[in-house]
Amino acid sequence: MARTAGSHSDITGPRIQQAAQRLFARHGYAAVSMRQIAGEVGVQAGALYNYTRDKQSLLFGLMQDHMQELLATWGARPQGNGPVAALEAFTRFHIRFHLERPEEVFIAYMELRNLTPENHAAISALRGRYEDGLEAILKRGVAGGVFDVADTKIATLAVIAMLNGVNTWYRAGGRLSLDEVETVYWDMVRKAVAPAAISTA
Amino acid sequence: MARTAGSHSDITGPRIQQAAQRLFARHGYAAVSMRQIAGEVGVQAGALYNYTRDKQSLLFGLMQDHMQELLATWGARPQGNGPVAALEAFTRFHIRFHLERPEEVFIAYMELRNLTPENHAAISALRGRYEDGLEAILKRGVAGGVFDVADTKIATLAVIAMLNGVNTWYRAGGRLSLDEVETVYWDMVRKAVAPAAISTA
DNA sequence: ACGCTATCTGAACAGATGTTCAGAAAAAAC
DNA sequence: GTTTTTTCTGAACATCTGTTCAGATAGCGT
């Protein structure tokens, strides 16, 4: 046997990425074999190497695509007038974007240690750019007196960590709608960075 | 060759756990082999099985020990008078406890998916008890009017997620002391759950 | 209808995986 | 000093790992 009926790189390529994403998210990069991925696609393991240089590139590709889409989508957003509106826009965007792609997010956070040093640096740089975007908002707010945080870098990481937590429990069709979840978190973020006695409620 | 000079189960047992902890935290459960762990201890792979039933039990033991110590240490703490003091005590305790054992924490959060279903349920139950402790504080505060959150369950998870974030960036000997870090986070937590216009600052 | 290229198979490679176990030697008990 | 027990080795087990590649077939351009 050889080339199979209906085989097409436009089909197989994306299917390999999807299968890898599903399996990496579910079981972890190290626990997933190339044969498992191939099996999910309905192909032999050797065929994967028409689409990826090796297993590491498969992981890196997924993570890079995710981070670049995150940055591009965020960059194309209306930024909001003033730091408070910008922070609200960020909060709602972040929650929605991340809840829409739980697998990508999970991989992006859990599989960093399985990247080669160069790949790790590349992904970290992208993540840093995203974090800098939030920190810039906080800095403007602090300068303008509408926010009050002891350290904008720590506050940035604290806010992102808090927002990322939503991915651990939210399930579509649950008690709260996506919109309600956004509002609940925005309420906490807003207050957390607000000046001590002035609340914008 | 056979039993080696100076061999002692009181020594080897803990050394295996330490080695497993170090390696699991660094490279992930699935990426670490029994031979690597044995090598770290200076022993052949077969010797590990005098101390653990299998690799899975080694992981589960580490996670269970960690969670039980977390609960025991927290349970033995002064609880603080009133919800605000209790929340501050929780915040400071959580940060300190977690920063003191980054490897255990990392494993407890990253390796859940590598547990068998029964083991996963056991660890999740322990984690649930810890979260319930925080939620009880929040509920008392909401009832007493000193906290205002839309949903105590979500607020619980949000607070814990935010606090856990500290483990991703804090390094001993950095810019801020442990005490300062605690205060910075407590400041944000306090405000995040505070009623809209009343701040305890 | 024919040739070219894209796509996949199936076997092979060298080595790693978790786990078991008979046997040997060190330590402890007597 | 002898026996018993504890602790470890080293080999073996069957299976899995990522990756390569010659060869075979399907689809496409002509």
Side-chain angles (χ1 to χ4, degrees):
Chain A
M1 265 163 273
R3 179 167 186 176
T4 54
S7 62
H8 236 309
S9 76
D10 295 351
I11 307 275
T12 307
R15 292 230 301 159
I16 289 174
Q17 293 204 43
Q18 287 165 28
Q21 184 169 106
R22 247 176 54 97
L23 291 170
F24 287 167
R26 191 113 44 183
H27 308 292
Y29 172 76
V32 172
S33 73
M34 295 300 266
R35 283 173 179 81
Q36 278 178 60
I37 299 171
E40 194 96 341
V41 178
V43 105
Q44 293 299 314
L48 301 186
Y49 291 84
N50 292 326
Y51 302 91
T52 187
R53 212 162 52 73
D54 49 25
K55 194 187 176 190
Q56 167 75 202
S57 303
L58 197 48
L59 174 62
F60 178 65
L62 290 173
M63 295 178 74
Q64 194 179 36
D65 287 354
H66 171 67
M67 291 307 298
Q68 283 173 346
E69 196 194 351
L70 173 64
L71 286 168
T73 311
W74 169 245
R77 281 249 147 185
Q79 304 293 330
N81 295 8
V84 177
L87 184 59
E88 177 169 6
F90 177 89
T91 300
R92 293 187 181 275
F93 164 79
H94 185 94
I95 289 180
R96 190 171 295 259
F97 187 90
H98 284 65
L99 280 184
E100 275 168 357
R101 19 179 101 59
E103 288 178 347
E104 286 95 322
V105 171
F106 205 71
I107 292 171
Y109 275 88
M110 304 277 284
E111 303 297 355
L112 272 172
R113 63 175 161 194
N114 286 312
L115 293 174
T116 62
E118 306 81 39
N119 289 344
H120 188 276
I123 300 297
S124 292
L126 294 174
R127 165 135 357 142
R129 276 176 48 197
Y130 184 66
E131 291 170 355
D132 288 345
L134 171 56
E135 191 177 5
I137 295 172
L138 292 179
K139 278 179 171 165
R140 278 190 281 133
V142 169
V146 292
F147 297 154
D148 179 18
V149 294
D151 186 301
T152 55
K153 185 67 188 162
I154 295 181
T156 296
L157 297 173
V159 166
I160 289 181
M162 180 171 131
L163 297 181
N164 282 343
V166 75
N167 270 76
T168 65
W169 60 265
Y170 182 85
R171 296 295 171 265
R175 201 164 91 255
L176 275 65
S177 72
L178 189 51
D179 229 53
E180 290 170 321
V181 172
E182 283 178 22
T183 303
V184 168
Y185 274 89
W186 163 234
D187 208 49
M188 288 188 287
V189 169
R190 178 178 52 77
K191 290 193 290 179
V193 303
I198 310 162
S199 176
T200 55
Chain B
M1 265 161 272
R3 178 166 187 177
T4 54
S7 61
H8 235 308
S9 75
D10 295 351
I11 308 275
T12 307
R15 291 229 302 159
I16 289 174
Q17 293 204 45
Q18 288 165 28
Q21 185 168 104
R22 248 176 53 97
L23 291 170
F24 288 167
R26 191 114 44 183
H27 309 291
Y29 173 76
V32 172
S33 74
M34 295 299 266
R35 283 172 180 81
Q36 280 178 60
I37 298 170
E40 195 96 342
V41 178
V43 106
Q44 294 299 313
L48 302 185
Y49 291 84
N50 291 327
Y51 302 92
T52 186
R53 212 160 51 71
D54 49 26
K55 195 187 176 189
Q56 168 75 201
S57 304
L58 197 48
L59 174 63
F60 178 66
L62 291 174
M63 295 178 75
Q64 193 179 40
D65 287 355
H66 170 68
M67 291 306 299
Q68 282 173 346
E69 196 194 352
L70 173 65
L71 286 168
T73 311
W74 169 245
R77 281 249 146 184
Q79 304 292 331
N81 295 7
V84 176
L87 183 58
E88 177 170 5
F90 177 89
T91 300
R92 293 187 181 275
F93 164 80
H94 186 93
I95 289 180
R96 190 170 293 262
F97 187 90
H98 283 66
L99 281 184
E100 277 168 356
R101 18 180 102 60
E103 289 178 346
E104 287 95 322
V105 171
F106 204 70
I107 292 171
Y109 275 87
M110 302 278 283
E111 303 298 354
L112 273 171
R113 62 177 163 192
N114 286 311
L115 293 173
T116 63
E118 307 82 39
N119 289 345
H120 188 274
I123 300 296
S124 291
L126 293 174
R127 167 138 352 145
R129 277 176 45 197
Y130 184 65
E131 291 170 354
D132 289 346
L134 172 56
E135 190 177 7
I137 294 172
L138 293 179
K139 277 179 171 163
R140 278 190 281 132
V142 169
V146 292
F147 297 155
D148 179 18
V149 293
D151 186 300
T152 55
K153 184 67 187 163
I154 294 180
T156 297
L157 296 173
V159 167
I160 289 181
M162 180 170 129
L163 297 181
N164 282 343
V166 75
N167 270 76
T168 66
W169 60 265
Y170 182 86
R171 296 294 171 266
R175 202 164 91 255
L176 275 65
S177 73
L178 189 51
D179 229 53
E180 290 170 320
V181 172
E182 284 179 23
T183 303
V184 168
Y185 274 89
W186 164 233
D187 208 50
M188 288 188 286
V189 168
R190 177 177 53 77
K191 291 194 288 179
V193 303
I198 309 163
S199 175
T200 57

